[in-house]
Amino acid sequence: MKDLVTPPQMPLRPTGTVMRLARMGAMFPTRLSFLRTLLRRLARERVEVVRPVWSICAQGYGHAVYTLSLGGHRYSLVAVATALPEAARTDRVIAEAWDTAYVLYDGVPDAGEIARICATAPRQEAARFTERDLVLSRANKSVRLFDHVVGSLRAGRQPDPAEVQKTGYLMRTTAVYGNGKFGIADRAAIAARPGLSGPFMAEMLTVWLIRHFTHDLAEHMGGGTLDPAIKRHLGIGNATGLGMAPFLVTHPVLLNNWMAARETALARVRAVPALEAEQVAQLTALATRAAGHLAEWQVPDTAHQARIDQLRSAWAGVASRITPEMCAAPRPLDRLFRAAATGGPDLEELTVALLLEPFGALVDDLAEGMADPFDPPPEQTTHTDKLRARLETAFAWALGRDYDTPEHCRRFWYVSAAKQEPRLGDRFAEPGAALESPLDVARRVAALHAALPDKRTPVLEFLDAHPEHLFAVERVEMAAAYPYAEIRDNLIAADCLPIDLLRCKLSFFGAAKFDPKSDLWTRITLFQGAPLAEEVATRRDHGWLPVLQA
Amino acid sequence: MSWSRAEVQALATRAARGAGAPAAQAVHFGRAAALHLARGRPASEVSQALAALPEGPVLRLPLALQRLRRAGGGDEIDTGGLPDLARSYVETLGMPLTIREVSPDALIVSPTKTAPLPDPGRITGCEALIAEMTELAAHTLVPESDVSRQAGAGAGVTDTD
């Protein structure tokens, strides 16, 4: 019978600390990240991946099908590889052709369904899909590394570990579409299924299988077998731009649940009264591994590289604190956390990820609360005086600035007519601000505050006269029930960095090796160091901040 | 052809914004319209609601839901002449409610112990409405320009790393 006793915990970190963009832009993957939750499930069920179809020519074009059983259901990845002219290769949403395309299929496709997917998947957004198609994706080769790996295998040798380490993946996904896009199945169709009920589980399963396909493709074209350690270090890249950023604003309950789970996990481990020798050894090993990972993490962007360099140096200080003496003191993890918290967001957030890692028994259950079930709606306010009080408590951070000044409103979020690519404009230099997407929560709440009448008035009467404030009223009412729902920064400020939003969401996916290409998009790596398909049932190390050991 | 509820919801939300609805009302409309169409209710009511923007049921019905929730689930709803769409709005609350149409302009809603209707499936047979909503949704898109293209995420890099 499941133990229903809630573990002791320290106070949660304040929302005013956690929900700042700069902090969110310093997050690292943890064992609560979605791909880790998936890997635990795959391991628990001892999932076996089989490849009933492999119809790929020597040049690497054709299709393949992989199937597995999870939670009592069969799923298949249909992978389609096509020739891509060099000039057409781009990671942007506005691309129209890719090296490979994928569908995660509900069940095992017959020949007719495979033919349908082979015809439609390479067209991506230009095609229509069915309720049997659960996830749609595509990926481009990392040409340099792919060619190096295939060339090495053809020459009868293993790839150069330095090259593998430098890129870390054979292909990069440039979109992973779920929840009904272009006619694929609604998330509601799978939300209750064991193994896929957590957030983005179907998408993570797809990406894990895509990684498997990229390994098979390289081995097929190279005519050789990759060393397992090298193969394990070949994850899947991803290029992520602004399309991902609005999600955190438009799904506030989900954001709250993700953040609350992570913060509760931290509060639980900080309350651990004492450590066992095995836990100390594990922490030490993980801290050493993290140092190795930081050493491997090299990016071209000089500002980000400077952050990494600083973190490397500071991390040595954290690692050196994990001593038998420290661990013998009361609440040793809380001490370690508090020491790291003085070193800035990067150091603190990496420490958070480290502290959770050895304590699965204490925190893994929190992953079950990270989806967005039909929670009761937040309590409504009856009169404007109560609404004002709530607003001034929960949104104090949004008040007191003039949103008409360029520094506080320079940016505007919009969707381009070009393939509906989300973009960020300069209100004072570009047209289109009249079609701005409603991500300006701070400005809208401040406008509501200014519009509230001095006289106590029923909220409904106020909204009857001012329907444009319903958006802000709902955000304020949500704040009491969902304290981590709101990003506490002005997303239209001149100094807003969308890259911070991306890193927050991607860290929840389980991404590492963030490689920002601008303030607007980043490359990352998923499943690097994760178990391969043939070892998912047996390998205990699921690849937190991996280091190549070839 | 069939559509997922999620894509119709997103499209209806953008269509309402394109037709002049405020942000929150557009979101409520998107939810209600997708549920409405998935239950096979008349597409014409969705179309009429969009045509009435920037006034009309799309603005009023979210406030009616607010009123209904404050009243604990028991209230009379002014449907604005769109009783099925108003019913769909009420059903988006996911609350156990009994809904009775007393006239084309009024629904009586009361709490019940009966579970809400099961989640409906996909949406079919509303090609004309989808086309209409697509056209309205296009009003929310910013036309492409060289400047915006160069400012887009991912611009200006070599992708063959």
PDB file of all heavy atoms in Angstrom, chain B residues 49-61:
ATOM      1  N   ALA B  49     -22.166  34.371 -33.647  1.00  0.00           N
ATOM      2  CA  ALA B  49     -21.468  35.011 -32.527  1.00  0.00           C
ATOM      3  C   ALA B  49     -20.270  35.811 -33.027  1.00  0.00           C
ATOM      4  O   ALA B  49     -20.007  36.934 -32.573  1.00  0.00           O
ATOM      5  CB  ALA B  49     -21.026  33.954 -31.517  1.00  0.00           C
ATOM      6  N   LEU B  50     -19.549  35.243 -33.981  1.00  0.00           N
ATOM      7  CA  LEU B  50     -18.401  35.961 -34.544  1.00  0.00           C
ATOM      8  C   LEU B  50     -18.855  37.205 -35.304  1.00  0.00           C
ATOM      9  O   LEU B  50     -18.223  38.264 -35.221  1.00  0.00           O
ATOM     10  CB  LEU B  50     -17.611  35.034 -35.478  1.00  0.00           C
ATOM     11  CG  LEU B  50     -16.774  33.945 -34.790  1.00  0.00           C
ATOM     12  CD1 LEU B  50     -16.285  32.924 -35.813  1.00  0.00           C
ATOM     13  CD2 LEU B  50     -15.592  34.557 -34.045  1.00  0.00           C
ATOM     14  N   ALA B  51     -19.967  37.064 -36.006  1.00  0.00           N
ATOM     15  CA  ALA B  51     -20.461  38.191 -36.805  1.00  0.00           C
ATOM     16  C   ALA B  51     -20.896  39.358 -35.917  1.00  0.00           C
ATOM     17  O   ALA B  51     -20.871  40.513 -36.351  1.00  0.00           O
ATOM     18  CB  ALA B  51     -21.617  37.728 -37.682  1.00  0.00           C
ATOM     19  N   ALA B  52     -21.288  39.050 -34.699  1.00  0.00           N
ATOM     20  CA  ALA B  52     -21.778  40.104 -33.796  1.00  0.00           C
ATOM     21  C   ALA B  52     -20.641  40.893 -33.137  1.00  0.00           C
ATOM     22  O   ALA B  52     -20.879  41.926 -32.510  1.00  0.00           O
ATOM     23  CB  ALA B  52     -22.671  39.492 -32.721  1.00  0.00           C
ATOM     24  N   LEU B  53     -19.429  40.371 -33.250  1.00  0.00           N
ATOM     25  CA  LEU B  53     -18.294  41.090 -32.631  1.00  0.00           C
ATOM     26  C   LEU B  53     -18.059  42.430 -33.313  1.00  0.00           C
ATOM     27  O   LEU B  53     -18.337  42.555 -34.503  1.00  0.00           O
ATOM     28  CB  LEU B  53     -17.030  40.216 -32.714  1.00  0.00           C
ATOM     29  CG  LEU B  53     -16.959  39.124 -31.661  1.00  0.00           C
ATOM     30  CD1 LEU B  53     -15.883  38.103 -32.002  1.00  0.00           C
ATOM     31  CD2 LEU B  53     -16.699  39.726 -30.274  1.00  0.00           C
ATOM     32  N   PRO B  54     -17.620  43.443 -32.604  1.00  0.00           N
ATOM     33  CA  PRO B  54     -17.034  43.391 -31.250  1.00  0.00           C
ATOM     34  C   PRO B  54     -18.043  43.504 -30.104  1.00  0.00           C
ATOM     35  O   PRO B  54     -17.632  43.782 -28.978  1.00  0.00           O
ATOM     36  CB  PRO B  54     -16.087  44.598 -31.261  1.00  0.00           C
ATOM     37  CG  PRO B  54     -16.736  45.568 -32.189  1.00  0.00           C
ATOM     38  CD  PRO B  54     -17.413  44.758 -33.239  1.00  0.00           C
ATOM     39  N   GLU B  55     -19.317  43.263 -30.373  1.00  0.00           N
ATOM     40  CA  GLU B  55     -20.307  43.216 -29.290  1.00  0.00           C
ATOM     41  C   GLU B  55     -20.881  41.803 -29.256  1.00  0.00           C
ATOM     42  O   GLU B  55     -20.372  40.912 -29.926  1.00  0.00           O
ATOM     43  CB  GLU B  55     -21.434  44.234 -29.567  1.00  0.00           C
ATOM     44  CG  GLU B  55     -20.984  45.663 -29.807  1.00  0.00           C
ATOM     45  CD  GLU B  55     -20.415  46.306 -28.558  1.00  0.00           C
ATOM     46  OE1 GLU B  55     -20.774  45.838 -27.460  1.00  0.00           O
ATOM     47  OE2 GLU B  55     -19.606  47.229 -28.672  1.00  0.00           O
ATOM     48  N   GLY B  56     -21.948  41.644 -28.485  1.00  0.00           N
ATOM     49  CA  GLY B  56     -22.722  40.416 -28.572  1.00  0.00           C
ATOM     50  C   GLY B  56     -22.333  39.321 -27.608  1.00  0.00           C
ATOM     51  O   GLY B  56     -21.639  39.562 -26.611  1.00  0.00           O
ATOM     52  N   PRO B  57     -22.750  38.088 -27.908  1.00  0.00           N
ATOM     53  CA  PRO B  57     -22.590  36.972 -26.962  1.00  0.00           C
ATOM     54  C   PRO B  57     -21.141  36.673 -26.582  1.00  0.00           C
ATOM     55  O   PRO B  57     -20.888  36.224 -25.467  1.00  0.00           O
ATOM     56  CB  PRO B  57     -23.197  35.784 -27.729  1.00  0.00           C
ATOM     57  CG  PRO B  57     -24.109  36.388 -28.742  1.00  0.00           C
ATOM     58  CD  PRO B  57     -23.509  37.712 -29.106  1.00  0.00           C
ATOM     59  N   VAL B  58     -20.220  36.902 -27.496  1.00  0.00           N
ATOM     60  CA  VAL B  58     -18.814  36.583 -27.165  1.00  0.00           C
ATOM     61  C   VAL B  58     -18.345  37.442 -25.996  1.00  0.00           C
ATOM     62  O   VAL B  58     -17.531  37.011 -25.173  1.00  0.00           O
ATOM     63  CB  VAL B  58     -17.903  36.771 -28.401  1.00  0.00           C
ATOM     64  CG1 VAL B  58     -16.438  36.548 -28.040  1.00  0.00           C
ATOM     65  CG2 VAL B  58     -18.318  35.826 -29.514  1.00  0.00           C
ATOM     66  N   LEU B  59     -18.886  38.644 -25.900  1.00  0.00           N
ATOM     67  CA  LEU B  59     -18.531  39.494 -24.759  1.00  0.00           C
ATOM     68  C   LEU B  59     -19.382  39.179 -23.534  1.00  0.00           C
ATOM     69  O   LEU B  59     -18.896  39.207 -22.402  1.00  0.00           O
ATOM     70  CB  LEU B  59     -18.672  40.981 -25.126  1.00  0.00           C
ATOM     71  CG  LEU B  59     -17.349  41.622 -25.560  1.00  0.00           C
ATOM     72  CD1 LEU B  59     -16.909  41.097 -26.911  1.00  0.00           C
ATOM     73  CD2 LEU B  59     -17.447  43.132 -25.591  1.00  0.00           C
ATOM     74  N   ARG B  60     -20.644  38.867 -23.770  1.00  0.00           N
ATOM     75  CA  ARG B  60     -21.552  38.712 -22.622  1.00  0.00           C
ATOM     76  C   ARG B  60     -21.454  37.348 -21.944  1.00  0.00           C
ATOM     77  O   ARG B  60     -21.565  37.253 -20.728  1.00  0.00           O
ATOM     78  CB  ARG B  60     -22.987  38.938 -23.093  1.00  0.00           C
ATOM     79  CG  ARG B  60     -23.342  40.407 -23.346  1.00  0.00           C
ATOM     80  CD  ARG B  60     -24.834  40.601 -23.324  1.00  0.00           C
ATOM     81  NE  ARG B  60     -25.508  39.747 -24.295  1.00  0.00           N
ATOM     82  CZ  ARG B  60     -25.735  40.072 -25.579  1.00  0.00           C
ATOM     83  NH1 ARG B  60     -25.352  41.246 -26.017  1.00  0.00           N
ATOM     84  NH2 ARG B  60     -26.350  39.243 -26.400  1.00  0.00           N
ATOM     85  N   LEU B  61     -21.279  36.282 -22.736  1.00  0.00           N
ATOM     86  CA  LEU B  61     -21.369  34.944 -22.140  1.00  0.00           C
ATOM     87  C   LEU B  61     -20.261  34.646 -21.117  1.00  0.00           C
ATOM     88  O   LEU B  61     -20.543  34.001 -20.097  1.00  0.00           O
ATOM     89  CB  LEU B  61     -21.417  33.878 -23.243  1.00  0.00           C
ATOM     90  CG  LEU B  61     -22.782  33.817 -23.957  1.00  0.00           C
ATOM     91  CD1 LEU B  61     -22.716  32.925 -25.198  1.00  0.00           C
ATOM     92  CD2 LEU B  61     -23.876  33.318 -23.011  1.00  0.00           C
TER      93      LEU B  61
END
